[in-house]
Amino acid sequence: MPLWLGMVPFAVAYAVTARAAGLSVLETQLMSVTVFAGASQFAAAGLFVSGANALGIIATTALLNARHVLYGLSLSRTLPLTRPQRVLAAQFLTDEAYGVAVVRGPQEPGGLSFAFLLGAELSLYFIWNLSTLVGALAGAVLPDPAALGVAVVFPLAFLGLLVPLLKDRLTVLVALASGLGAWGLSRVLPGGLVILLAGIGGALLGAFLSTRKQNTETPA
Amino acid sequence: MSVLLVIFLMWAVTYPVRWLGLSLGRLHLPPFWLSFLQFVPVSVFAALVLPEVLSSPEWPRRLVACVVGGLLMWRTGSLAPGILGGFAAYWGARLLGL
């Protein structure tokens, strides 16, 4: 439930940005129905606004959603799923659903179950799509989103995803390096490519520093 | 490329990744690549935020909005006050002529 409060403004903001980028209500909604990935939908909406090319948008989506491999890997270790269950659960898997499944699932009688996972996923899916629709329709009513300064909601929403991840000095360092790197690159390269390069570069830096740290902390 | 095709391809690069993870329960990735995947969100979100703030013609207002919004998110641990507070700060800065 508290997660809904985080999702609603995010979905509305996504929908308003997407509408401002010139997407129709149907297209805005279709992205929530099929892609169903807040961060990449937001990124795509932002990239549509800045006129980035299509391949950049798709590459950014692929990169942003690569983390879902981790969620799936982690879930499938505690929750064995049949093939049809995997096919279904995969469509609705998100950061939030993963978080709820991992934190609350074990507290359920009988532990984490497929029903619990799917229930968490579908409740988030429903709220996300409902909020998208509200935002898409409200976006059509707003006179000129650009004049209202709605564009600032885009970095704010990503900040909302970033802030909880800044747990230690290393994550702050990685965030600063990729953020500043992206700023530098954005002066010479198009948007989608900048995110891809800065994203890979920052994650490599983080992986390099954290594995080196582990190696020095736990000598063989 | 049409918007519908872009949306379809976005879905086509998202769904298989989710399915793959759920289907690879026993796979062991080397620690370096597990760590890489863990840092992808931090890195990508930061790369999305900073240029959007600093490269904008109205960067001082956006910077104020993000500092205020970021602090609120950090203190309250939730998104809504951060976005609303940040947006209010943006308008405050704008009305003050920043």
Side-chain angles (χ1 to χ4, degrees):
Chain A
M1 282 281 286
L3 287 171
W4 293 358
L5 292 176
M7 281 185 107
V8 170
F10 197 36
V12 171
Y14 149 70
V16 172
T17 312
R19 294 285 290 134
L23 270 66
S24 70
V25 174
L26 185 69
E27 289 162 344
T28 303
Q29 191 69 49
L30 192 65
M31 208 193 285
S32 280
V33 171
T34 58
V35 183
F36 185 47
S40 45
Q41 285 182 231
F42 219 100
L47 291 169
F48 273 121
V49 171
S50 66
N53 77 26
L55 289 176
I57 295 174
I58 295 155
T60 305
T61 305
L63 186 70
L64 270 171
N65 292 334
R67 70 188 188 284
H68 287 108
V69 174
L70 271 182
Y71 301 155
L73 271 173
S74 150
L75 280 176
S76 63
R77 278 176 196 184
T78 50
L79 177 65
L81 296 174
T82 65
R83 194 183 174 84
Q85 286 174 340
R86 289 200 300 264
V87 167
L88 192 60
Q91 171 61 27
F92 308 109
L93 185 61
T94 54
D95 307 70
E96 291 87 353
Y98 169 72
V100 170
V102 168
V103 177
R104 294 282 166 78
Q107 300 165 3
E108 290 291 298
L112 176 60
S113 62
F114 171 68
F116 182 84
L117 175 65
L118 196 65
E121 288 185 347
L122 288 178
S123 92
L124 292 163
Y125 187 72
F126 176 73
I127 290 298
W128 179 256
N129 274 284
L130 188 66
S131 311
T132 300
L133 185 63
V134 170
L137 296 176
V141 171
L142 286 174
D144 180 10
L148 294 170
V150 170
V152 79
V153 175
F154 173 74
L156 278 173
F158 273 102
L159 206 57
L161 291 171
L162 178 62
V163 167
L165 297 173
L166 301 175
K167 290 179 202 129
D168 50 30
R169 260 188 290 177
L170 186 55
T171 47
V172 173
L173 179 73
V174 167
L176 275 177
S178 26
L180 292 173
W183 181 38
L185 285 174
S186 68
R187 287 151 178 254
V188 283
L189 289 170
L193 197 58
V194 169
I195 305 301
L196 193 68
L197 289 177
I200 291 175
L204 281 175
L205 176 73
F208 175 72
L209 291 175
S210 71
T211 47
R212 198 187 58 173
K213 198 170 136 204
Q214 277 164 12
N215 288 342
T216 50
E217 274 171 3
T218 54
Chain B
M1 206 184 289
S2 84
V3 172
L4 286 180
L5 185 59
V6 172
I7 292 174
F8 173 74
L9 289 174
M10 284 175 69
W11 178 74
V13 295
T14 302
Y15 178 80
V17 168
R18 289 172 166 160
W19 178 82
L20 188 69
L22 285 173
S23 305
L24 293 176
R26 298 279 161 235
L27 181 83
H28 283 278
L29 278 175
F32 181 85
W33 291 107
L34 276 177
S35 180
F36 173 83
L37 287 175
Q38 271 160 359
F39 278 105
V40 163
V42 171
S43 177
V44 169
F45 296 155
L48 282 162
V49 172
L50 255 73
E52 195 66 29
V53 174
L54 298 177
S55 301
S56 162
E58 50 169 20
W59 69 268
R61 298 171 190 168
R62 290 194 180 189
L63 194 61
V64 169
C66 284
V67 169
V68 172
L71 284 173
L72 281 170
M73 286 160 192
W74 180 54
R75 296 303 299 178
T76 63
S78 66
L79 185 68
I83 290 191
L84 294 175
F87 194 61
Y90 167 86
W91 268 99
R94 186 159 154 172
L95 293 173
L96 287 172
L98 200 65

